[in-house]
Amino acid sequence: MRLNPRPATASGTRRLARRHPAALLALFLCSTGGALAALALPAALGHTVDGLIDGGPVPWSGLLLCAVLTLAETGFDAGAAVLGTSTTARLTAHLRTRTTARVLAAEPRDALAVPTGDLTARLTARTADAAAAPVTAAGAVAGVLLPLGAITGLFLIDPWTAAAFLLGAPLLVALLHTFTRRTADAGADYQRAQSVIAHRLTEALDGADTIRAARTGAREYRRILEPLGALADHGRRTWTVYGRAAGQSALLLPLLMLLVLAVGGLRLHAGAIGVGDLVAASRYAALAVGIGALTGALGALARSRAAARTLDPLLTLDPLPHEGLGPLPGGPGHLEFRDVGVAQDGGPDGKPLLTEVHLTVPGGTSLAVVGRSGSGKSVFAAVAGRLLDPDTGTVLLDGVPLTAMDPALLRPEVAYAFARPALPGTTVEDTIAFGPWTADPEAVRAAARAARADGFIGLLPYGYATPLTDAPLSGGERQRLGLARAFAHPGRLLILDDALSGLDTVTEHHVRRALDERAGRCTRVIVAHRLSSAARADRVLWLEDGRVRATGPHEELWADPEYRAVFRTEVAEAEAGETGAVPPARTEVEAR
């Protein structure tokens, strides 16, 4: 992944905290208020007990104060819980949006260097863990204030009693330090194992048809679940750390309490403190040993830090560079490749995917891109619309380099359709209307008719309003929805990356007629596997091993027996694909 991390002026936690400062301040105040109420209660209780023991009138004011402090502590804790939950949800939504925006703004080759399953895990579970850090930090104030305040209260009551507690405090601090470090390590390893499983599962889902046809389901099942052993080990290690910390705390904290009460009892017997002071001291000792409650907050912060580290490579992705230019107004879609080269790893030592491609496609014409599998057809299609930047050379649209155009202005000018398109949106109409702008209902229906999708959409339970989850779509029907989406967002350049492979002959004929109607108004680049696609194009680009083998009209190239062999090979591979001998067509994300 080609990353250029920029130095940050503040930590990720601080950046997130600035998103909702009022809510975090309110959470801080609630946590602090609850801690102060909890610290005031032992003193009030001890004073009230002394008043009752003295035999005078019932100290109603003291009893009322204890009741008020108890209610205040409960109310503040409840407010902190509500604020913490809602603020965490908002911060998670912000972090997911921000991270996703970074991924989408970067060159796909950089963004997709992270495996798809791992990327999904980072954008979901990891963002939730990382976003919890500011709330955990704000709420941890109470966890720190309570033991420190309790120790101060012990000193005010009797220094000897406080000294008894401090005698065992270093052991407690060492316990917390070890717990935090080991929890962070175990949590990071657990997250990595989760990412591996998510990536393998995504791979299997994408290739489900091939796995089913090849009858390799059992092998894939074992491959996906193989990291479960490591995941279980890391999980057990995490719980072992928790268990040891809890066991050591269960041993240490009662001993500290017993030591404080023993010293306090001796001081009471000596007349240095009263009964109320002993009651207050016992309550303060309970709050002081409550420092063990910090383990939860420290563990959450450790998980947040581990999650934030996995998000850093995504948040430091550089957006596509550009000079802020847009396509020339009214341009016909004149496409030009000047010595374009693409390497697999984006560097000089990578395997060449395209080499020295020099080509001009006049505006408004159609270009069929043909070649055997692995010849670079999809890479050419990706570079033509800047889904991928070339490592060498330049691609120009109407005389303007694609790298100089503002991506926000370029994207409406280029429409893509893929063999296995992603279908965002809630309903069928939503997915066709989805794009650089939301197409209106009339444009959606006209595009569906052009893609020959109107017929099967009319048979769905609610037509265009049918939820996609209730629309059982075949591969060809999905392709037609993808084509309709491209037709609904016309620009000056239309690129079809094997987007006709799932259509029957009659449907393909009608779709090609719709494409021909765009002649003169839109440049069409069609990655072709069928002979009919090449025959109808104005010009054919024949690629071989990433190089231009030949260009020209189909009729001229047909005289070359090796050119004719390309189509025989493609037909054989397509037939083998139907029986599961070769992988299915690439998805839209894979094509990018």
PDB file of all heavy atoms in Angstrom, residues 286-303:
ATOM      1  N   ALA A 286     -13.240   1.077  51.140  1.00  0.00           N
ATOM      2  CA  ALA A 286     -13.937   0.362  50.064  1.00  0.00           C
ATOM      3  C   ALA A 286     -13.828   1.118  48.749  1.00  0.00           C
ATOM      4  O   ALA A 286     -13.648   0.517  47.678  1.00  0.00           O
ATOM      5  CB  ALA A 286     -15.405   0.161  50.454  1.00  0.00           C
ATOM      6  N   LEU A 287     -13.941   2.465  48.830  1.00  0.00           N
ATOM      7  CA  LEU A 287     -13.797   3.258  47.607  1.00  0.00           C
ATOM      8  C   LEU A 287     -12.359   3.228  47.101  1.00  0.00           C
ATOM      9  O   LEU A 287     -12.109   3.217  45.888  1.00  0.00           O
ATOM     10  CB  LEU A 287     -14.223   4.703  47.870  1.00  0.00           C
ATOM     11  CG  LEU A 287     -15.711   4.937  48.165  1.00  0.00           C
ATOM     12  CD1 LEU A 287     -15.959   6.411  48.504  1.00  0.00           C
ATOM     13  CD2 LEU A 287     -16.562   4.521  46.980  1.00  0.00           C
ATOM     14  N   ALA A 288     -11.397   3.226  48.042  1.00  0.00           N
ATOM     15  CA  ALA A 288      -9.989   3.240  47.632  1.00  0.00           C
ATOM     16  C   ALA A 288      -9.611   1.939  46.932  1.00  0.00           C
ATOM     17  O   ALA A 288      -8.903   1.956  45.914  1.00  0.00           O
ATOM     18  CB  ALA A 288      -9.095   3.479  48.844  1.00  0.00           C
ATOM     19  N   VAL A 289     -10.067   0.808  47.461  1.00  0.00           N
ATOM     20  CA  VAL A 289      -9.744  -0.448  46.799  1.00  0.00           C
ATOM     21  C   VAL A 289     -10.546  -0.590  45.504  1.00  0.00           C
ATOM     22  O   VAL A 289     -10.259  -1.461  44.678  1.00  0.00           O
ATOM     23  CB  VAL A 289     -10.026  -1.660  47.713  1.00  0.00           C
ATOM     24  CG1 VAL A 289      -9.169  -1.599  48.952  1.00  0.00           C
ATOM     25  CG2 VAL A 289     -11.496  -1.753  48.082  1.00  0.00           C
ATOM     26  N   GLY A 290     -11.526   0.291  45.309  1.00  0.00           N
ATOM     27  CA  GLY A 290     -12.264   0.297  44.043  1.00  0.00           C
ATOM     28  C   GLY A 290     -11.418   0.706  42.863  1.00  0.00           C
ATOM     29  O   GLY A 290     -11.910   0.759  41.728  1.00  0.00           O
ATOM     30  N   ILE A 291     -10.146   1.008  43.119  1.00  0.00           N
ATOM     31  CA  ILE A 291      -9.239   1.280  41.999  1.00  0.00           C
ATOM     32  C   ILE A 291      -9.172   0.086  41.051  1.00  0.00           C
ATOM     33  O   ILE A 291      -8.842   0.216  39.874  1.00  0.00           O
ATOM     34  CB  ILE A 291      -7.827   1.624  42.546  1.00  0.00           C
ATOM     35  CG1 ILE A 291      -6.947   2.204  41.441  1.00  0.00           C
ATOM     36  CG2 ILE A 291      -7.183   0.391  43.167  1.00  0.00           C
ATOM     37  CD1 ILE A 291      -5.614   2.720  41.955  1.00  0.00           C
ATOM     38  N   GLY A 292      -9.549  -1.090  41.576  1.00  0.00           N
ATOM     39  CA  GLY A 292      -9.600  -2.256  40.710  1.00  0.00           C
ATOM     40  C   GLY A 292     -10.640  -2.116  39.609  1.00  0.00           C
ATOM     41  O   GLY A 292     -10.551  -2.765  38.567  1.00  0.00           O
ATOM     42  N   ALA A 293     -11.639  -1.255  39.824  1.00  0.00           N
ATOM     43  CA  ALA A 293     -12.645  -1.033  38.778  1.00  0.00           C
ATOM     44  C   ALA A 293     -12.045  -0.363  37.557  1.00  0.00           C
ATOM     45  O   ALA A 293     -12.641  -0.366  36.476  1.00  0.00           O
ATOM     46  CB  ALA A 293     -13.791  -0.190  39.333  1.00  0.00           C
ATOM     47  N   LEU A 294     -10.865   0.239  37.742  1.00  0.00           N
ATOM     48  CA  LEU A 294     -10.188   0.861  36.598  1.00  0.00           C
ATOM     49  C   LEU A 294      -9.765  -0.161  35.548  1.00  0.00           C
ATOM     50  O   LEU A 294      -9.499   0.196  34.397  1.00  0.00           O
ATOM     51  CB  LEU A 294      -8.938   1.608  37.082  1.00  0.00           C
ATOM     52  CG  LEU A 294      -9.134   3.036  37.600  1.00  0.00           C
ATOM     53  CD1 LEU A 294      -7.821   3.562  38.132  1.00  0.00           C
ATOM     54  CD2 LEU A 294      -9.660   3.927  36.503  1.00  0.00           C
ATOM     55  N   THR A 295      -9.699  -1.432  35.950  1.00  0.00           N
ATOM     56  CA  THR A 295      -9.256  -2.440  34.989  1.00  0.00           C
ATOM     57  C   THR A 295     -10.159  -2.483  33.759  1.00  0.00           C
ATOM     58  O   THR A 295      -9.690  -2.661  32.635  1.00  0.00           O
ATOM     59  CB  THR A 295      -9.218  -3.827  35.643  1.00  0.00           C
ATOM     60  OG1 THR A 295     -10.518  -4.117  36.193  1.00  0.00           O
ATOM     61  CG2 THR A 295      -8.180  -3.876  36.747  1.00  0.00           C
ATOM     62  N   GLY A 296     -11.480  -2.317  33.974  1.00  0.00           N
ATOM     63  CA  GLY A 296     -12.401  -2.312  32.826  1.00  0.00           C
ATOM     64  C   GLY A 296     -12.115  -1.165  31.888  1.00  0.00           C
ATOM     65  O   GLY A 296     -12.050  -1.343  30.663  1.00  0.00           O
ATOM     66  N   ALA A 297     -11.946   0.041  32.466  1.00  0.00           N
ATOM     67  CA  ALA A 297     -11.676   1.218  31.638  1.00  0.00           C
ATOM     68  C   ALA A 297     -10.319   1.094  30.950  1.00  0.00           C
ATOM     69  O   ALA A 297     -10.185   1.437  29.765  1.00  0.00           O
ATOM     70  CB  ALA A 297     -11.726   2.481  32.503  1.00  0.00           C
ATOM     71  N   LEU A 298      -9.323   0.590  31.672  1.00  0.00           N
ATOM     72  CA  LEU A 298      -8.006   0.438  31.067  1.00  0.00           C
ATOM     73  C   LEU A 298      -8.035  -0.593  29.945  1.00  0.00           C
ATOM     74  O   LEU A 298      -7.392  -0.416  28.906  1.00  0.00           O
ATOM     75  CB  LEU A 298      -6.986   0.027  32.137  1.00  0.00           C
ATOM     76  CG  LEU A 298      -6.673   1.098  33.196  1.00  0.00           C
ATOM     77  CD1 LEU A 298      -5.769   0.516  34.270  1.00  0.00           C
ATOM     78  CD2 LEU A 298      -6.030   2.320  32.558  1.00  0.00           C
ATOM     79  N   GLY A 299      -8.782  -1.681  30.159  1.00  0.00           N
ATOM     80  CA  GLY A 299      -8.905  -2.678  29.105  1.00  0.00           C
ATOM     81  C   GLY A 299      -9.591  -2.122  27.867  1.00  0.00           C
ATOM     82  O   GLY A 299      -9.183  -2.390  26.733  1.00  0.00           O
ATOM     83  N   ALA A 300     -10.656  -1.310  28.082  1.00  0.00           N
ATOM     84  CA  ALA A 300     -11.357  -0.692  26.949  1.00  0.00           C
ATOM     85  C   ALA A 300     -10.448   0.271  26.206  1.00  0.00           C
ATOM     86  O   ALA A 300     -10.453   0.323  24.969  1.00  0.00           O
ATOM     87  CB  ALA A 300     -12.606   0.030  27.448  1.00  0.00           C
ATOM     88  N   LEU A 301      -9.659   1.046  26.940  1.00  0.00           N
ATOM     89  CA  LEU A 301      -8.728   1.965  26.288  1.00  0.00           C
ATOM     90  C   LEU A 301      -7.660   1.207  25.503  1.00  0.00           C
ATOM     91  O   LEU A 301      -7.251   1.633  24.415  1.00  0.00           O
ATOM     92  CB  LEU A 301      -8.075   2.874  27.335  1.00  0.00           C
ATOM     93  CG  LEU A 301      -8.963   3.983  27.908  1.00  0.00           C
ATOM     94  CD1 LEU A 301      -8.239   4.705  29.038  1.00  0.00           C
ATOM     95  CD2 LEU A 301      -9.350   4.982  26.817  1.00  0.00           C
ATOM     96  N   ALA A 302      -7.216   0.082  26.051  1.00  0.00           N
ATOM     97  CA  ALA A 302      -6.220  -0.732  25.331  1.00  0.00           C
ATOM     98  C   ALA A 302      -6.808  -1.262  24.028  1.00  0.00           C
ATOM     99  O   ALA A 302      -6.148  -1.244  22.977  1.00  0.00           O
ATOM    100  CB  ALA A 302      -5.753  -1.883  26.222  1.00  0.00           C
ATOM    101  N   ARG A 303      -8.062  -1.732  24.060  1.00  0.00           N
ATOM    102  CA  ARG A 303      -8.705  -2.209  22.830  1.00  0.00           C
ATOM    103  C   ARG A 303      -8.890  -1.073  21.835  1.00  0.00           C
ATOM    104  O   ARG A 303      -8.721  -1.250  20.623  1.00  0.00           O
ATOM    105  CB  ARG A 303     -10.053  -2.841  23.149  1.00  0.00           C
ATOM    106  CG  ARG A 303      -9.957  -4.191  23.853  1.00  0.00           C
ATOM    107  CD  ARG A 303     -11.304  -4.892  23.877  1.00  0.00           C
ATOM    108  NE  ARG A 303     -12.331  -4.112  24.556  1.00  0.00           N
ATOM    109  CZ  ARG A 303     -12.552  -4.153  25.850  1.00  0.00           C
ATOM    110  NH1 ARG A 303     -11.806  -4.932  26.641  1.00  0.00           N
ATOM    111  NH2 ARG A 303     -13.512  -3.426  26.399  1.00  0.00           N
TER     112      ARG A 303
END
